[in-house]
Amino acid sequence: MTNPTYQRATFTMGAHNLTQLPNSDNLIEIAFAGRSNSGKSSAINRITGQKALARISKTPGRTQQINYFQLDEQRYIVDLPGYGYAKVSDQVKRHWRHTLELYLRQRECLRGLIMMMDIRHPFTDFDSQMLEWCQVTGMPVHILLTKADKLGRGAAGNTLMQVRQTLNKEFSVERDQPWATVQLFSALKGTGVEDAQALLDEWFGFEPVQTAEPPKNR
Ligand SMILES: Nc1nc2c(ncn2[C@@H]2O[C@H](COP(=O)(O)OP(=O)(O)O)[C@@H](O)[C@H]2O)c(=O)[nH]1
Ligand SMILES: [Mg+2]
């Protein structure tokens, strides 16, 4: 069952640089990152059960700001700018590259990063760069392999396994110790939504939602 707090999420502010972020004392943030067009907005909307919280943009890369969605006084979902969009100037790219690095390495209230990777194109250059920045500080990372509906079950399962292997080999914090976790996800079909919500619940420190026993028909 969806934690109703996600459905109450509201947009509170967009920041263009780190000085505009809310004071981190007593906050818990979970950030969503991904290449433009990786399905980040669709994932945020699906996980929060809101149709248009993060605007699903047909023009990739338009969201060049850090967007804050408030769940309650303490907890925020943070939508980081999509990266890898060719039409942005080099200067803008450099600005965001630097800003994202500082954000991931220094933001004290950041509890973890959810990274969207299109299941058909995992580990783009900047995905790997972001993973390295998180690896340095041991920042928890959970990867959603998005648009899983675009592959058949077998192929999706194989990609999941390969991605897990790559994570354990190339991005472990301790040798061969899994650090980042990964799952299949489809905003279209709803695959993996509950698993993603359960992870957010854990990171945000929400108690597991009790599902009431349905009344028995006699
Ligand atoms: N088939 C399929 N398409 C998806 C899924 N999630 C997103 N898309 C499509 O991928 C494109 C980019 O999605 P969007 O959420 O805007 O990506 P963003 O740029 O990363 O925020 C849109 O055309 C979406 O409709 C999914 O789970 N399955
Ligand atoms: Mg988007």
Side-chain angles (χ1 to χ4, degrees), residues 37 40-42 54-57 63 79:
N37 209 41
K40 181 160 59 76
S41 299
S42 306
R55 202 170 28 140
I56 298 175
S57 145
T63 357
D79 186 8

Side-chain angles (χ1 to χ4, degrees), residues 34-43 55-58 60-61 63 82 116 146-150 185-189:
R35 192 170 215 283
S36 291
N37 209 41
S38 61
K40 181 160 59 76
S41 299
S42 306
R55 202 170 28 140
I56 298 175
S57 145
K58 293 275 171 202
T63 357
M116 268 52 53
T146 57
K147 312 188 193 181
D149 56 275
K150 297 264 193 188
F185 190 87
S186 166
L188 187 70
K189 302 272 163 129

